[in-house]
């Protein structure tokens, strides 16, 4: 799995080495990795190294030292190097090495920010102003310089550990921030690089080992790779049948929103559930069955069900009552449930830990709106990890906060994130497809179990984190299906649903390979 850590965790792992006088060694390792990352990026673009220009924006701390040492190494490779000291001072040894390598130095002041921005905008820019220990964003002339550069768009921006202004722990962004194409993380990927809005500023993230990796604690945030997904997907045995594959009950749609029901039933069937039982009005059921004839319409009491999906397109007194009845029944029986959209308003005061709630930012703000402090959509979007965790603790359920980066929080405090989708997936019905995928997985895992001899345990995911892990798997499959269906162009929610089996086949081949 891809593991991410807070700045505090990284600094604690560094501390024994720093106490032993190894600080300079750590900095040299980081700088070497940063310099090589710049070289690889330029070569990948087909650009000449010799004679190219690189500017390091250097703060006064160790982050600036990393950047200055890296720039000195790049000078040795024939690059023309410039440093902008954003506070008037810098790490003394690193600055001396930079000057010895022939680098030019400018000192930022209150009068020259825009002039310097224009001077260096055509260069490779290394952002080494603020590191993992910074709290808050840039101020004064440094903020003015970064705002001007963001507008001018340098050819290549490489962030040193984190883009300055991005909170390394949470992904919260303190504007202005210079958007990086590449972020080079030292020792461990920072959690803020794998959660929005910070991930949107970080570009591609690469990890440079510096010798602290074995001393890192349990990660603050995790993400499944394709290999991980291949290993944990439900895999029917030779004697499997529809009931052992998992039966999903769905209460969704209404005469106003028939498409929501059709999409989530189709997606659940495509995601490998053994059977789907649909509960809803006859007029809606006809359209559902026309699209997915494998489904079963239950006009009254459903038969055997292992898990539930409730809420997409929910409207009307009759459907709302069905959802209330199912929530009460599932709570009493211990059945897992995926709760979306209209059913989020029907939640009990405390949910079981095997329920997965799937709000977008506005719905999550409403979930938390009963407290003394009002929470807005903007609040949630600016601090996704914080509010997903808060909602999981408040409700007792797993909370999957939808977004460009999907954040999944367990009531135990564990956090996962996935970012496999594409912007074209922001289309009507996409969330209904996600609900169907999650419901199918919930039914399959409820039947097969999430025991200590299962695939999640092999990834060292604790029992009280496994339903959050199931939700993260579903988010990844949804994102991968959308990206495959889009191929860089427009798509519909139906396209996403139809692409789901292809994702399963791809992952199965990945596992076999």
């Amino acid at each position: 799995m891809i593991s991410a850590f807070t700045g505090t965790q990284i600094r604690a792992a560094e501390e024994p080495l720093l106490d032993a006088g190894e600080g300079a060694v750590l900095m040299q390792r980081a700088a070497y990795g940063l310099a090589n990352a710049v070289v690889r990026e330029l070569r990948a673009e087909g650009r000449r190294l010799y004679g190219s220009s690189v500017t390091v924006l250097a703060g006064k701390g160790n982050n600036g030292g990393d950047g200055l040492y890296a720039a000195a190494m790049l000078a040795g490779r024939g690059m023309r190097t410039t440093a902008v000291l954003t506070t008037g001072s810098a790490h003394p040894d690193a600055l001396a090495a930079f000057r010895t390598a022939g680098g030019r130095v400018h000192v930022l002041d209150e009068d020259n920010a825009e002039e310097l921005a224009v001077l260096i905008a055509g260069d490779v820019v290394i952002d080494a102003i603020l590191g993992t220990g910074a709290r808050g964003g840039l101020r004064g002339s440094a903020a003015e310089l970064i705002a001007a550069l963001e507008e001018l768009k340098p050819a290549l921006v490489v962030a040193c550990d984190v883009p300055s202004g991005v909170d390394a722990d949470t992904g919260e962004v303190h504007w202005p921030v210079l958007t990086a194409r590449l972020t080079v993380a030292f020792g461990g990927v920072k959690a803020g690089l794998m959660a929005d809005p910070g991930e949107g500023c970080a570009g591609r993230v690469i990890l440079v080992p510096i010798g602290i990796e074995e001393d890192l604690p349990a990660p603050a945030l995790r993400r499944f790779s394709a290999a991980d997904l291949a290993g944990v997907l439900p895999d029917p045995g030779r004697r499997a049948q529809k009931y052992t594959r998992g039966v999903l009950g769905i209460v969704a749609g209404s005469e106003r929103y028939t498409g929501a029901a059709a999409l989530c039933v189709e997606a659940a069937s495509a995601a490998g559930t053994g059977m789907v039982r649909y509960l809803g009005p006859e007029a809606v059921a006809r359209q559902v069955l026309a699209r997915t004839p494998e489904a079963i319409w239950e006009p009254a009491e459903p038969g055997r069900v292992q898990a539930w999906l409730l809420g997409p397109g929910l409207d009307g007194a009759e459907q709302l009552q069905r959802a209330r009845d199912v929530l009460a029944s599932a709570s009493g029986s211990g059945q897992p449930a995926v709760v979306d959209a209209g059913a989020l308003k029907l939640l009990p005061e405390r949910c079981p830990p095997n329920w997965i709630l799937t709000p977008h930012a506005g719905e999550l703000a409403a979930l938390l709106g009963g407290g003394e402090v009002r929470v807005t959509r903007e609040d949630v979007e600016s601090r996704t990890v914080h509010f997903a965790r808060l909602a999981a603790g408040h409700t007792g359920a797993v909370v999957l906060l939808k977004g460009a980066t999907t954040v999944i929080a367990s009531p135990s405090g564990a956090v996962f994130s996935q970012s496999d989708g594409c912007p074209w997936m922001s289309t009507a019905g996409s969330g209904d497809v996600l609900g169907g995928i999650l419901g199918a997985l919930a039914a399959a895992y409820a039947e097969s179990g999430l025991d200590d001899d299962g695939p999640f345990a092999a990834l060292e995911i604790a029992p009280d984190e496994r339903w959050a892990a199931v939700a993260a798997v579903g988010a990844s499959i949804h994102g991968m299906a959308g990206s495959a269906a889009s191929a860089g162009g427009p798509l519909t929610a139906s396209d996403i649903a139809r692409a789901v089996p292809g994702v399963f086949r791809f992952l199965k081949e990945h596992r076999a390979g």
Side-chain angles (χ1 to χ4, degrees):
M1 296 192 74
I2 303 169
S3 297
F5 304 87
T6 67
T8 301
Q9 289 176 313
I10 295 291
R11 290 191 296 277
E14 290 175 338
E15 189 171 357
L17 292 174
L18 296 175
D19 291 344
E22 297 292 319
V25 174
L26 295 180
M27 188 170 285
Q28 288 294 327
R29 289 170 181 165
Y32 182 76
L34 176 60
N36 280 341
V38 172
V39 170
R40 286 194 298 269
E41 200 73 8
L42 289 174
R43 286 179 172 167
E45 294 178 352
R47 293 171 61 180
R48 289 181 56 193
L49 201 63
Y50 189 85
S52 294
S53 297
V54 59
T55 296
V56 56
L57 310 178
K60 64 181 179 180
N62 289 342
N63 195 253
D66 295 335
L68 288 166
Y69 273 127
M73 294 173 187
L74 291 171
R77 305 289 292 271
M79 296 190 73
R80 293 184 288 115
T81 55
T82 301
V84 175
L85 308 186
T86 59
T87 63
S89 62
H91 188 283
D93 293 341
L95 182 58
F98 177 79
R99 289 185 187 275
T100 299
R104 295 173 298 170
V105 176
H106 297 282
V107 176
L108 179 67
D109 61 39
E110 60 185 14
D111 298 319
N112 65 358
E114 291 191 11
E115 177 187 342
L116 285 174
V118 173
L119 179 67
I120 65 177
D123 298 354
V124 176
V125 174
I126 297 175
D127 172 8
I129 305 175
L130 299 178
T132 59
R135 289 294 176 265
L138 298 165
R139 299 178 181 85
S141 300
E144 187 179 348
L145 173 65
I146 289 299
L149 282 172
E150 179 68 6
E151 188 172 336
L152 291 169
K153 303 295 182 190
L156 171 62
V157 176
V158 180
C160 183
D161 224 9
V162 291
S164 297
V166 172
D167 189 294
D169 295 359
T170 67
E172 186 176 359
V173 172
H174 304 277
W175 305 103
V177 170
L178 183 57
T179 302
R181 186 194 304 174
L182 179 70
T183 296
V184 182
F186 307 132
V189 175
K190 310 309 177 290
L193 303 177
M194 294 171 62
D196 273 341
E199 184 164 6
C201 301
R204 196 171 80 256
V205 179
I206 64 170
L207 176 63
V208 171
I210 60 173
I212 65 170
E213 294 71 32
E214 291 185 1
D215 297 317
L216 289 169
L221 183 151
R222 285 165 290 179
R223 177 172 290 182
F224 285 102
S225 66
D228 299 322
L229 293 169
V232 301
L233 283 181
D235 191 10
R238 175 175 171 272
R239 300 184 64 185
Q241 38 99 346
K242 59 190 176 187
Y243 294 109
T244 61
R245 294 269 306 283
V247 180
L248 176 66
I250 294 181
V251 181
S254 58
E255 293 186 10
R256 184 181 181 188
Y257 300 114
T258 57
L263 283 166
C264 61
V265 170
E266 180 183 18
S269 296
T273 190
M275 181 191 297
V276 176
R277 299 184 187 274
Y278 173 68
L279 281 71
E282 182 176 359
V284 179
R286 283 198 296 268
Q287 295 196 38
V288 168
L289 296 175
R291 188 175 184 122
T292 310
E294 302 89 348
I296 295 174
W297 176 44
E298 301 281 7
E301 292 294 318
R304 178 181 175 184
V305 167
Q306 275 96 6
W308 289 96
L309 165 62
L310 307 107
L314 203 65
D315 192 30
E318 186 180 8
Q319 277 292 73
L320 287 168
Q321 188 56 51
R322 282 192 180 98
R324 287 190 189 94
D325 292 343
V326 167
L327 285 170
S329 173
S331 180
S333 65
Q335 289 178 318
V338 178
V339 186
D340 184 38
L344 291 169
K345 301 174 183 177
L346 309 177
L347 293 173
E349 187 172 339
R350 194 73 179 167
C351 300
N354 61 351
W355 286 12
I356 301 170
L357 316 184
T358 61
H360 55 58
E363 290 167 335
L364 191 142
L367 273 177
L368 296 171
E372 294 180 4
V373 179
R374 182 171 175 264
V375 178
T376 67
R377 171 190 283 269
E378 291 73 23
D379 293 332
V380 173
E381 290 174 338
S382 68
R383 301 174 68 191
T384 55
V385 170
H386 170 78
F387 283 107
R389 270 185 170 152
L390 192 64
H394 175 72
T395 62
V398 171
V399 171
L400 182 152
L401 175 57
K402 293 182 278 195
T405 296
T406 297
V407 172
I408 304 100
S410 166
S412 69
V415 178
F416 297 83
S417 81
Q418 297 297 139
S419 186
D420 304 280
C422 66
W424 289 109
M425 293 178 68
S426 53
T427 186
S430 179
D432 304 329
V433 174
L434 172 62
I437 295 168
L438 291 168
L441 291 174
Y445 286 116
E447 179 63 25
S448 63
L450 295 174
D451 300 328
D452 288 340
D453 59 352
F456 290 110
L459 292 173
E460 298 184 351
I461 297 172
D464 60 1
E465 301 170 348
R466 289 175 193 164
W467 279 106
V470 170
V473 171
S476 259
I477 292 170
H478 179 247
M480 293 172 73
S483 293
S486 168
L491 79 165
T492 66
S494 297
D495 296 328
I496 302 172
R498 285 190 288 266
V500 169
V503 172
F504 276 76
R505 287 192 291 272
F506 167 78
L507 291 172
K508 184 175 181 180
E509 290 165 4
H510 195 98
R511 177 164 51 197

